[in-house]
Amino acid sequence: MAKLMTEQRFASPDDVYQLLIDSHRDLTPEQSTRLNAKLILLLANHIGDAEVLAEALRVARQGIE
Amino acid sequence: MHATFSYPKYSFTPSDEQRTGNVRRHPVVIVGAGPVGLTAALDFARKGVPVVVLDAEDTVSVGSRAVCYAKRALEVWDRLGVGQRMIDKGVVWKIGKVFNGDRMVYQFDLLPEPDHKIPAFINLQQYYLEDFLVAQARKSDLIDLRWLSRVISARQEADHVVLQVETPDGVHAVEADWVIACDGAKSSVRKMMGLEFQGEVFKDRFLIADVVMKADFPAERWFWFDPPFHRKQSALLHMQPDNVWRLDFQLGWDADPEEEKKPERVIPRVQAMLGADTPFELEWVSVYTFQCRRLDRFRHGRILFAGDSAHQVSPFGARGANSGVPDADNLVWKLALVLDGKAPESLLDSYCDERVAAAKENILNSTRSTDFITPKSEMSRVFRDAVLELAVDQPFARALVNSGRLSTPTTYTDSPLNTPDGDRFAGRMVPGAPATDAPVERDGLSGWLMEVLDGRFTVLYAAGDGPVPAEVAEALDGLAAGPLPLAWHAVTDRRRGIAGELVDSAGRLRERYDLTPGSVYLIRPDQHIAARWRRFDAAALSAALDRAVGHTVSR
């Protein structure tokens, strides 16, 4: 069973963070939401494993309610 | 409005028991002469069980309603001798296309493999379907159809049920060992018994318009999200016989159902879809909402629920009538064996187990489709729209587009009637699965496996290229002569002249059932797989048969 990897994996973490932020530049909140949804779908398919996705969703939801 | 169909009027004739006041005890009374009740009645008659069918009305379904009938329901009707008439009249189809705006984003084929007798789907107005079922029922002396006979109360006694039935001649009692309530989503039997029908209500309204027109759209299911002619809502197009087309428009929760039904509201919507210069006439208009809900248990003592009275789904996926017919298919052979003293009453609980599992599967699929078509939250809509946007260029996203996952039969994976596999097999024909069709030659005539599976238990013995060993034939002849209705057939690669042999000349049976010489399948009267082995073992087969009729098998 694949496991969600939560150790640091980026060669250059600051570059990745900037990529995310830059991709939303000049977008309205609505457009950003749309971009995020498409990004999530693309990445979820790339992972291709419902268990890993479920684990990621569980971790992401922690502290929200 | 235009009328391509004239509704039959079935006359009320008072029954002997109403005229004389002598109450009779019937083995089975079916409440409701819709597709499910009539299917059950035909199946009982085929098994030699007399039935009374009570219906509150005196005609068939008003409006085309269900329209889409799936392969599995058609296979049941074909076994009952009425399927071909439906297929001949119906529009046969198997391709579905999904559009977003004016671009196609997804296409599916519901029967991608060849060599099946029955098509993936037909479209047929429900009134034709019921008319054909009634005509077939009238051919049987064992089916007593009673129109204008409304059940107003049901009382369970220790060993029977007493119904009070209201007719034009007054109220009288009818007694039955068993009652099957096939009286629809608004089931009065269910209400009389105070049973909870729980689930989800969806806040959306849809307009159905059946229009008569000459058009050259193909016989395919076309579904639009956000089409140019009906912005921000969905729409659906289906071909029916007699140049009738089913159009379905999503309206949203705030639409006023009475206003939306008015021709002056409907006609502009239809014109926008078809183009202003396409002449058409309205045949039938209806506005509906829907719910996904079910009874907790489908058996309540001697009253059994089947079809919409037991479970209700949204229309996306055509899972209403198409799951009600398998309910009847599942129940009738079991109840016939119980009535005949050949199976314990507890076999009826497996009806509940298996068909509740099917209802859960149907409700899950139908709810998911509905959540996609009618997103319930802002973020749900965002994801839905993102899927549609990605689907244009990204193949992975097309699989997520859900305009209705169309009805397929349920595999009773966890059924207590299954004998779990001890041997290795490939493919889909696992215990609990509905048998898949294949062409076979019998007595020199080409036919189909589904025609061989005739409502009895069936044993298939794969003889390959050799003869059937004498001890195998003897054991199987013994079973066939036993108390349970059972037939057996040798499956051969080429003609060998064995009595009842099925010649698998195309090799489809071998392929679809992963047969090797010596393989054995036990198939139930409702054409679901009960057990299979790589080698014939008479004791194992007997034990599997016992298990399949609900006897507890010690392991």
Side-chain angles (χ1 to χ4, degrees), chain A residues 33-34 36-42 45, chain B residues 379 382-383 386-387 389-390 394 396 400:
Chain A
T33 303
R34 198 168 129 204
N36 279 339
K38 289 168 73 178
L39 180 70
I40 290 167
L41 289 166
L42 282 159
N45 180 65
Chain B
M379 194 46 66
V382 166
F383 273 111
V387 165
E389 197 181 328
L390 285 168
Q394 306 293 334
F396 86 88
L400 301 174

Side-chain angles (χ1 to χ4, degrees), chain B residues 156 181 187-198 293-301 303-305 309-310:
Chain B
Q156 299 217 46
S187 171
S188 46
V189 175
R190 190 184 67 222
K191 283 178 194 153
M192 282 165 211
M193 295 178 68
L195 301 174
E196 283 198 74
F197 201 44
Q198 281 186 323
R293 49 187 187 162
R294 68 174 176 90
L295 284 174
D296 190 35
R297 307 283 300 160
F298 297 173
R299 179 186 173 197
H300 290 266
I303 300 180
L304 298 128
F305 291 84
S309 70

Side-chain angles (χ1 to χ4, degrees), chain B residues 406-483:
Chain B
L406 281 117
S407 174
T408 50
T410 298
T411 294
Y412 306 136
T413 311
D414 300 319
S415 172
L417 307 189
N418 295 344
T419 297
D421 276 339
D423 301 330
R424 273 180 192 283
F425 280 88
R428 290 182 292 125
M429 292 298 101
V430 298
T436 196
D437 205 2
V440 292
E441 184 195 293
R442 184 158 61 148
D443 303 328
L445 299 171
S446 36
W448 300 94
L449 177 66
M450 295 315 267
E451 296 167 345
V452 174
L453 308 178
D454 60 0
R456 294 179 286 178
F457 278 98
T458 305
V459 177
L460 300 179
Y461 177 79
D465 206 23
V468 179
E471 69 277 12
V472 172
E474 199 181 316
L476 289 171
D477 283 341
L479 270 186

Side-chain angles (χ1 to χ4, degrees), chain B residues 113 116 411 425-434 436-437 511-514 521 529 532:
Chain B
E113 62 179 35
H116 288 257
T411 294
F425 280 88
R428 290 182 292 125
M429 292 298 101
V430 298
T436 196
D437 205 2
E511 172 190 310
R512 290 175 187 169
Y513 287 76
D514 186 23
Y521 270 79
I529 310 298
R532 57 185 181 170

Side-chain angles (χ1 to χ4, degrees), chain B residues 248-322:
Chain B
D248 194 310
F249 299 91
Q250 185 180 28
L251 297 176
W253 183 239
D254 296 332
D256 177 337
E258 288 314 310
E259 279 300 307
E260 293 295 345
K261 271 190 265 190
K262 292 181 176 166
E264 62 263 33
R265 296 279 300 165
V266 177
I267 287 168
R269 291 194 191 284
V270 176
Q271 274 173 338
M273 181 173 186
L274 301 173
D277 50 354
T278 304
F280 66 89
E281 289 186 77
L282 288 178
E283 166 108 349
W284 179 61
V285 172
S286 173
V287 171
Y288 65 90
T289 58
F290 49 74
Q291 314 192 346
C292 290
R293 49 187 187 162
R294 68 174 176 90
L295 284 174
D296 190 35
R297 307 283 300 160
F298 297 173
R299 179 186 173 197
H300 290 266
R302 294 182 159 264
I303 300 180
L304 298 128
F305 291 84
D308 284 358
S309 70
H311 45 77
Q312 204 185 351
V313 291
S314 86
F316 301 104
R319 289 169 180 267
N322 287 314

